């Protein structure tokens, strides 16, 4: 069993997933837009724009992020949970933190803590909450 994060966006899913792919050095996300659905299924959603993302999948490291545009436009902003990502080097943790923070809100700067050489939290420009950390360096 492998839990997978599933995010909902207010019409910005494709943009956000491509941003995450570039940020994490992943391949392009798989994006299934409403307009690519079989006609018999598409006809059941006439109110949806063709570009609306029904489902997207992005491989990040050994895990996945799934997402879609919120078809109801009623999902509140992400609260009460965060995506936590730990990086093998301080440099990579700082790079990703800076990219995700651009246009977002830093809740805790990336800095040393008692449990990690660097830890910080932020909400990115798409409303996704992140906790970023660097792993302890391996003893020589």
């Amino acid at each position: 069993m492998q839990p997978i994060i599933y995010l909902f966006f207010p019409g910005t899913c494709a943009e956000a997933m491509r941003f995450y792919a570039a940020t994490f050095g992943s391949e392009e996300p798989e994006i299934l837009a409403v307009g690519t659905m079989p006609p018999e299924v598409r006809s059941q959603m006439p109110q949806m724009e063709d570009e609306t993302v029904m489902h997207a999948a992005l491989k990040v490291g050994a895990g996945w992020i799934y997402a879609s545009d919120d078809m109801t436009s009623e999902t509140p902003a992400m609260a009460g949970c965060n995506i936590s990502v730990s990086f093998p080097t301080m440099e990579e943790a700082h790079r990703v933190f800076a990219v995700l923070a651009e246009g977002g809100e830093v809740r805790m700067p990336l800095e040393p803590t008692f449990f990690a050489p660097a830890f910080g939290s932020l909400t990115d420009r798409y409303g996704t909450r992140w906790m970023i950390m660097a792993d302890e360096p391996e003893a020589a």
Side-chain angles (χ1 to χ4, degrees):
M1 180 171 64
Q2 175 71 38
I4 298 174
I5 298 158
Y6 206 110
L7 302 173
F8 292 91
F9 295 93
T12 57
C13 181
E15 177 184 332
M17 294 295 274
R18 288 185 180 107
F19 172 72
Y20 299 147
T23 299
F24 294 110
S26 301
E27 297 207 9
E28 278 292 305
E30 297 174 27
I31 297 176
L32 175 62
V34 169
T36 64
M37 297 167 60
E40 63 275 8
V41 177
R42 176 67 179 104
S43 66
Q44 297 172 23
M45 301 180 201
Q47 74 282 8
M48 305 304 300
E49 298 291 325
D50 282 345
E51 298 80 29
T52 300
V53 176
M54 183 177 170
H55 178 74
L58 176 66
K59 182 99 168 115
V60 178
W64 288 90
I65 297 175
Y66 287 173
S68 70
D69 284 317
D70 180 11
M71 305 273 181
T72 66
S73 300
E74 296 173 3
T75 303
M78 186 177 187
C81 61
N82 295 266
I83 300 172
S84 180
V85 183
S86 189
F87 294 90
T89 67
M90 293 280 287
E91 294 78 19
E92 187 66 358
H94 279 281
R95 183 193 70 76
V96 169
F97 190 89
V99 171
L100 291 172
E102 190 175 322
E105 176 189 355
V106 173
R107 295 190 317 276
M108 180 180 171
L110 188 65
E111 55 192 25
T113 67
F114 70 93
F115 59 86
F119 174 84
S121 62
L122 60 96
T123 302
D124 71 23
R125 68 181 88 168
Y126 299 103
T128 303
R129 296 168 54 111
W130 297 91
M131 295 188 314
I132 304 297
M133 69 180 76
D135 297 332
E136 287 287 342
E138 293 199 20

